[in-house]
């Protein structure tokens, strides 16, 4: 299949696979899609190491990077900034989280017990606003042979756009509303990812079926990828039928062997239905779809405080999630009840863990088969 997206980034299939695990990125690209590394939680040194490893595995095949580059950064000492933000967290919120952890018998985590979790962040990066760190991340990203760079939230700042265009790297942006797409197009992005509410992680409230054609209508020559609900061949075919140049898939890779999610999380995902997700700001301070669990139920209970805005909420609960993850991995049933992860409504289609390459193949072959079936629905015009 050839589309404006496959031509833009030089891949065989109109499918982008977003994941925070480098091994998943490699396998998606090897299978003919575009693996995209979710790199929002890496230090510059970690990002350089991961991109170097990815390139060693791919031998020239294209891949992409997804960063979180804020429109505004600060020259202020980041340690002082983080300390100031922490002082803004109400004591009542701290007591609520500690009470919740005590209720479920979640102990503090010692250094010996700490998991080597992908995405662990240093306190100095909690705000992702340090101008020096953001500049270093961009330096690292553009020093590698990337085929695409995406900004995870908001319009890419002018400096990021200029640098991408100067180096001939297409730049993508995720949108959840038509108005967001209008801003991104005005800024000059090369690819729009129209993410419907079905998607995992930070998401809006417009469905993919509605959002995709709205964005395609105004995008002109700029390719659009549909995101949210893309986990099978028929779903990718639907995206193409809506006018998209391909699909952007994220949640489906959680059902792969290569994804770095813990055993406990994967077991819960495999047991879940499509109705077992909820959009909540309780993890980051911004609405995000995730697997429903006791954690989310506790925040919705009578007397629970309202979640704080980003980044205060994520600063409030970061250590709590570290403790939950570690304790759940040790076999604690109460911790398992709390355990959750960002995932879209396609979680209901997970049946077993499979190799990433097999998932790509099934999506692509299923899409091609469905497109042929659709083509046969149109009777030839008789003269």
């Amino acid at each position: 299949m050839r589309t404006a997206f496959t031509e833009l980034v030089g891949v065989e299939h109109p499918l982008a696979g977003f994941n925070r695990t480098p091994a998943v990125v490699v396998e998606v690209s090897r299978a003919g899609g575009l693996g995209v590394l979710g790199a929002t939680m890496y230090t510059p040194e970690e990002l350089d190491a991961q991109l170097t490893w990815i390139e060693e595995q791919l031998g020239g095949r294209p891949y992409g990077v997804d960063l979180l580059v804020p429109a505004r950064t600060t020259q202020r000492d980041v340690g002082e900034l983080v300390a100031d933000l922490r002082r803004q967290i109400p004591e009542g919120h701290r007591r609520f989280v500690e009470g919740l952890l005590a209720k479920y018998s979640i102990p503090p985590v010692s250094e010996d017990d700490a998991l080597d979790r992908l995405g662990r962040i240093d306190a100095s990066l909690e705000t992702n606003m340090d101008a020096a760190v953001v500049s270093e991340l961009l330096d690292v990203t553009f020093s590698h042979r990337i085929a695409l760079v995406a900004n995870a939230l908001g319009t890419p700042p002018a400096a990021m756009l200029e640098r991408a265009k100067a180096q001939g790297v297409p730049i993508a942006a995720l949108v959840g509303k038509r108005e967001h797409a209008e801003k991104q197009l005005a800024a000059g992005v090369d690819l729009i990812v129209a993410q419907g509410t079905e998607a995992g992680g930070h998401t809006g409230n417009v469905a993919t079926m509605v959002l995709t054609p709205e964005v395609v209508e105004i995008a002109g020559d700029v390719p659009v990828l549909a995101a949210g609900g893309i986990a099978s061949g028929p779903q990718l075919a639907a995206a193409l039928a809506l006018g998209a140049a391909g699909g952007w898939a994220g949640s489906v890779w959680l059902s792969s062997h290569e994804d770095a999610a813990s055993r406990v999380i994967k077991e819960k995902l495999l047991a879940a239905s499509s109705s077992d997700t909820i959009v909540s700001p309780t993890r980051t301070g911004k609405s995000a779809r995730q697997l429903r669990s006791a954690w989310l139920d506790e925040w919705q209970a009578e007397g629970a405080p309202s979640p704080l805005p980003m980044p205060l909420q994520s600063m409030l609960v970061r250590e709590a999630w570290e403790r939950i993850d570690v304790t759940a991995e040790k076999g604690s049933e109460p911790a398992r009840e709390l355990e959750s992860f960002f995932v879209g409504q396609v979680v209901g289609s997970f049946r077993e863990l499979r190799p990433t390459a097999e998932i790509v193949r099934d999506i692509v072959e299923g899409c091609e088969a469905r497109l042929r079936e659709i083509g046969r629905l149109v009777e030839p015009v008789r003269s």
Side-chain angles (χ1 to χ4, degrees):
M1 290 179 283
R2 308 305 301 174
T3 71
F5 169 69
T6 64
E7 296 296 331
L8 179 69
V9 297
V11 295
E12 300 167 47
H13 309 308
L15 179 67
F18 167 81
N19 194 271
R20 73 209 187 290
T21 310
V24 172
V25 173
V26 166
E27 292 304 312
V28 171
S29 288
R30 279 178 173 168
L34 182 76
V36 180
L37 180 68
T40 59
M41 295 298 185
Y42 285 114
T43 65
E45 295 76 17
E46 290 169 341
L47 180 59
D48 185 49
Q50 297 297 348
L51 298 188
T52 298
W53 182 84
I54 288 171
E55 290 176 350
E56 289 172 349
Q57 309 308 307
L58 288 180
R61 280 186 173 273
Y63 74 98
V65 177
D66 184 281
L67 296 169
L68 199 166
V69 182
R72 296 180 182 178
T73 55
T74 180
Q75 301 294 334
R76 180 181 172 187
D77 179 78
V78 72
E80 293 180 2
L81 175 61
V82 169
D84 183 50
L85 288 169
R86 284 176 173 162
R87 285 191 290 269
Q88 296 178 40
I89 298 175
E91 187 59 34
H93 282 70
R94 297 183 191 277
R95 288 197 299 270
F96 174 80
V97 172
E98 283 302 321
L100 191 160
L101 295 175
K103 177 180 178 179
Y104 288 83
S105 303
I106 309 298
V109 176
S110 69
E111 285 299 318
D112 291 337
D113 288 338
L115 295 178
D116 181 18
R117 291 194 303 127
L118 186 65
R120 175 189 286 272
I121 54 176
D122 185 89
S124 65
L125 299 178
E126 283 185 302
T127 62
N128 203 44
M129 293 175 63
D130 187 350
V133 172
V134 170
S135 178
E136 287 183 54
L137 287 169
L138 289 174
D139 286 344
V140 168
T141 300
F142 286 111
S143 72
H144 287 269
R145 302 187 304 274
I146 56 173
L148 180 80
V149 62
N151 197 26
L153 288 173
T155 305
M160 183 179 180
L161 283 159
E162 292 168 3
R163 189 160 186 180
K165 292 187 181 299
Q167 295 191 209
V169 177
I171 189 162
L174 279 70
V175 305
K177 293 182 179 179
R178 178 187 175 118
E179 307 91 271
H180 297 162
E182 291 172 344
K183 293 179 181 178
Q184 302 285 11
L185 291 166
V189 300
D190 303 294
L191 178 71
I192 296 283
V193 180
Q195 179 174 285
T197 190
E198 303 95 320
H202 295 118
T203 188
N205 56 17
V206 182
T208 304
M209 178 70 74
V210 175
L211 179 64
T212 302
E214 283 188 345
V215 175
V216 168
E217 182 182 20
I218 64 173
D221 294 333
V222 176
V224 175
L225 297 184
I230 308 296
S232 70
Q235 288 162 341
L236 179 57
L240 296 172
L242 292 172
W248 176 283
S251 296
V252 67
W253 316 114
L254 292 167
S255 66
S256 72
H257 291 300
E258 291 84 358
D259 177 80
S262 72
R263 171 188 56 82
V264 174
I265 288 173
K266 290 194 176 186
E267 287 175 354
K268 293 191 72 171
L269 294 176
L270 290 174
S273 73
S274 57
S275 299
D276 290 330
T277 67
I278 188 171
V279 176
S280 168
T282 60
R283 189 146 182 166
T284 69
K286 188 177 176 67
S287 295
R289 187 175 295 281
Q290 54 212 282
L291 188 68
R292 183 161 193 164
S293 74
W295 168 273
L296 293 148
D297 293 340
E298 293 286 352
W299 278 90
Q300 292 182 328
E302 184 177 354
S306 298
L308 301 169
M310 182 185 279
L312 298 182
Q313 182 71 14
S314 59
M315 296 173 75
L316 169 68
V317 305
R318 184 174 67 88
E319 182 184 344
W321 276 108
E322 181 80 18
R323 291 165 63 177
I324 291 168
D325 289 342
V326 170
T327 308
E329 280 297 283
K330 288 186 172 184
S332 165
E333 187 56 35
R336 184 187 179 92
E337 292 178 33
L338 291 171
E339 191 66 278
S340 178
F341 201 70
F342 302 110
V343 70
Q345 291 178 326
V346 297
V347 68
S349 67
F350 297 176
R351 299 290 178 266
E352 61 181 345
L353 298 182
R354 299 186 292 158
T356 296
E358 180 180 314
I359 296 173
V360 174
R361 184 177 65 249
D362 284 354
I363 292 175
V364 171
E365 292 179 354
C367 176
E368 292 174 342
R370 184 52 55 91
L371 290 175
R372 293 189 189 98
E373 292 170 0
I374 292 173
R376 288 195 289 270
L377 297 176
V378 181
E379 296 182 2
V381 178
R382 297 179 180 178
S383 57

